[in-house]
Amino acid sequence: RARVSTACEMSTLTVVTRPARPDDAVQLDGFVDGSHQGKLYGRFNLGQLIENATATVVAIDPQHDDAVVGFLAITRDIPLPFGVPKDRGLERMQWAKGEASAVGFPSDVAAWVAGCGVKGGYEKVAVAPMLKTAFQLLPHLDGVLIAAPPEVEREPVGTSFVKMARTMKFALYAASRESVLPRLRVRRARVDDHDDLLPLVMSAAGDEYAAGGPLSRLPDGGASTSDTGGLGDEYALATLISRALDDPERKCVLVAEAEEGKTGKMSFVGVVAVNAVDAEEAASLSGKYDLAAYDNLMPAAEDGDAAVEADKEPVAIRVTMLCVDRAYESQSARSEERRVGKECR
């Protein structure tokens, strides 16, 4: 699996995260205590979690031969508490799930920590980037939760989670997506965004694995030159935005912005351009593909609708560009998809 480019630095320590592999178990056994993990998070089996967890992430130190220094396992279902009678364990699980829903994390947008271990010396740098990668790997999640005894607050993972509810010997903790990957702000692009957007677009234009594939390049950008990084006309992006603003009923260019750390400064992490499909294009597509399930891209007929078919306009849009910062691939695409639906109705 490809390494996920999530890093955190503190002093001279730097960790990079990636999905766990079965052969990581050898190094993880050196600092992940299964008995201790079980007492905190519930039934624990390292090998099974690496193979079967919804997401299992490790932190590695690239300055020390890619040594594995951290481990985080996320599961869709809450782990069964360890060391208590089964009926009490089930009762705790029901309590935790109920409290999670009450504070905004129902089961369809939440997952649970099933294990987390960090090698000595990396306690302050490993958990946050692993958690960030887990959210990137699971774009549907709004929160990662822990149901555990309060002792978990003294663990490295404790600083990344907030206590949401508790009983005498058990508590619910949560890390929201916004606390790790701040929610994006999506708006219509302006012509004066050009200069700030250019680095993002140029980076994607030179990346053969860019999230948008061929759509990461500017549409109809003209001939490429070395000076424009493969973008063609140096003002093609500004022209694309300008044309969309001149024809807002049929074209739209949206940008996604994220806040940089605690500075409050916003930076661009995504841009998407769409055009309304016209009748000629809809007819062409219907001739090439079976679009009956989508009413051939035309409005669904209503009972008693006497409108002439030729007078109807297609109800579809075509994405002409999709450029996303790698670190925000899932989040940016999802945020822009929602906004496109609102803007282009």
Side-chain angles (χ1 to χ4, degrees):
R1 301 178 190 176
R3 181 183 297 181
V4 179
S5 58
T6 301
C8 179
E9 296 186 14
M10 184 175 179
S11 301
T12 58
L13 292 179
T14 302
V15 299
V16 178
T17 60
R18 61 165 171 77
R21 301 189 298 249
D23 59 358
D24 291 328
V26 176
Q27 293 189 65
L28 290 172
D29 279 333
F31 62 87
V32 176
D33 183 338
S35 176
H36 180 67
Q37 294 286 312
K39 291 177 182 178
L40 288 175
Y41 304 108
R43 301 287 181 184
F44 183 85
N45 183 300
L46 180 60
Q48 289 184 6
L49 285 174
I50 292 176
E51 292 281 359
N52 302 319
T54 307
T56 308
V57 179
V58 293
I60 62 176
D61 185 344
Q63 298 178 351
H64 292 84
D65 298 322
D66 283 354
V68 178
V69 298
F71 162 81
L72 175 67
I74 306 291
T75 57
R76 179 179 178 180
D77 298 318
I78 181 172
L80 179 66
F82 181 75
V84 297
K86 185 176 181 180
D87 58 344
R88 185 174 297 177
L90 294 174
E91 185 178 299
R92 286 183 175 181
M93 292 168 66
Q94 288 300 117
W95 171 84
K97 287 190 285 189
E99 291 295 327
S101 293
V103 296
F105 298 112
S107 59
D108 59 331
V109 294
W112 302 83
V113 174
C116 182
V118 178
K119 191 173 183 178
Y122 294 85
E123 292 88 350
K124 295 183 178 180
V125 299
V127 175
M130 289 194 295
L131 190 58
K132 180 177 180 179
T133 299
F135 274 113
Q136 291 173 338
L137 292 172
L138 303 171
H140 69 284
L141 290 188
D142 286 341
V144 172
L145 310 174
I146 298 176
E151 287 80 5
V152 76
E153 296 174 29
R154 297 194 290 268
E155 296 291 309
V157 75
T159 58
S160 297
F161 285 75
V162 177
K163 185 187 296 180
M164 309 300 293
R166 68 167 298 170
T167 63
M168 289 295 292
K169 297 182 178 181
F170 206 60
L172 173 71
Y173 303 86
S176 66
R177 175 176 289 273
E178 289 80 3
S179 68
V180 179
L181 291 169
R183 188 175 295 277
L184 304 182
R185 182 175 70 183
V186 179
R187 61 169 174 79
R188 282 184 179 266
R190 300 186 293 261
V191 175
D192 59 10
D193 293 329
H194 174 272
D195 290 351
D196 292 328
L197 277 172
L198 208 54
L200 170 69
V201 178
M202 290 183 70
S203 175
D207 183 0
E208 61 180 314
Y209 301 109
L215 290 176
S216 296
R217 287 69 172 170
L218 278 163
D220 304 320
S224 299
T225 69
S226 58
D227 294 334
T228 59
L231 293 177
D233 178 2
E234 62 177 313
Y235 297 112
L237 181 58
T239 300
L240 179 73
I241 296 171
S242 178
R243 288 174 177 172
L245 294 174
D246 289 341
D247 189 10
E249 295 299 319
R250 304 196 63 80
K251 298 179 180 180
C252 183
V253 179
L254 300 175
V255 293
E257 298 175 289
E259 186 174 335
E260 295 182 357
K262 298 179 180 179
T263 65
K265 180 181 178 182
M266 304 297 289
S267 61
F268 290 115
V269 296
V271 57
V272 62
V274 298
N275 290 349
V277 173
D278 58 26
E280 182 179 350
E281 185 177 6
S284 175
L285 291 170
S286 298
K288 296 176 181 178
Y289 308 100
D290 182 5
L291 300 178
Y294 304 98
D295 297 306
N296 292 318
L297 308 183
M298 302 301 290
E302 299 180 5
D303 293 339
D305 186 1
V308 179
E309 188 72 22
D311 293 336
K312 294 183 178 180
E313 288 289 329
V315 286
I317 58 175
R318 176 167 56 89
V319 177
T320 60
M321 182 182 183
L322 176 61
C323 181
V324 180
D325 185 314
R326 273 186 173 272
Y328 290 84
E329 283 181 10
S330 58
Q331 190 183 12
S332 185
R334 185 173 66 166
S335 298
E336 291 185 357
E337 178 183 315
R338 291 172 176 168
R339 183 62 183 268
V340 167
K342 294 179 180 178
E343 294 280 358
C344 300
R345 282 175 184 154

